[in-house]
Amino acid sequence: MIRFFSPEELYGMPTEEAATFCNERINKLIKSSPFVYGYKEGTHITWGYLDKTITHCARLMFIEEIKKEPCKHEPILKQNEDGYNQRHICKHCGVELVTEWKEKGAK
Ligand SMILES: [Zn+2]
């Protein structure tokens, strides 16, 4: 749970002053949040970039990075543009992979 206010901050404040304090903090948070833009088709709004088709805007709040698990690469052969050579790339993420040669049976 996100705590926007602590009891200590509001302790002893008259109600009106506490409401102003809380509203100012929330408005500051809203103003510091980036916009996203969208256009409405029927009942659905598609969010994207600012352009001439936009009909709506919204604020993005509480943005968190998605921590992804590292890819467990799985090599596949991909034909090069020259049509002759091939290289290994990962089937899942597409990075080019290199082979590590080692003696058979070695760890
Ligand atoms: Zn991969």
Side-chain angles (χ1 to χ4, degrees):
M1 181 178 74
I2 299 171
R3 290 175 52 104
F4 294 100
F5 315 100
S6 67
E8 295 79 29
E9 289 176 305
L10 304 173
Y11 184 76
M13 267 191 207
T15 308
E16 190 66 32
E17 193 181 324
T20 302
F21 176 85
C22 294
N23 284 321
E24 281 175 357
R25 181 167 299 172
I26 289 173
N27 277 289
K28 191 175 173 185
L29 178 66
I30 293 167
K31 284 180 184 165
S32 69
S33 303
F35 275 109
V36 286
Y37 301 94
Y39 65 94
K40 195 171 185 177
E41 270 183 310
T43 57
H44 180 75
I45 299 174
T46 302
W47 299 104
Y49 299 101
L50 179 60
D51 65 20
K52 290 176 184 171
T53 64
I54 68 152
T55 57
H56 291 70
C57 66
R59 298 279 192 168
L60 282 177
M61 299 177 90
F62 316 116
I63 302 165
E64 292 177 30
E65 185 180 351
I66 298 168
K67 301 287 181 197
K68 292 183 178 176
E69 298 244 339
C71 183
K72 292 171 185 157
H73 301 310
E74 193 177 333
I76 55 167
L77 270 174
K78 185 176 181 182
Q79 194 77 37
N80 282 348
E81 287 71 27
D82 64 14
Y84 295 105
N85 297 305
Q86 294 178 320
R87 61 198 159 104
H88 285 96
I89 63 162
C90 175
K91 175 179 167 179
H92 308 291
C93 68
V95 299
E96 191 165 344
L97 301 171
V98 291
T99 308
E100 284 184 12
W101 297 102
K102 60 186 168 190
E103 199 173 313
K104 193 172 183 178
K107 289 183 181 176

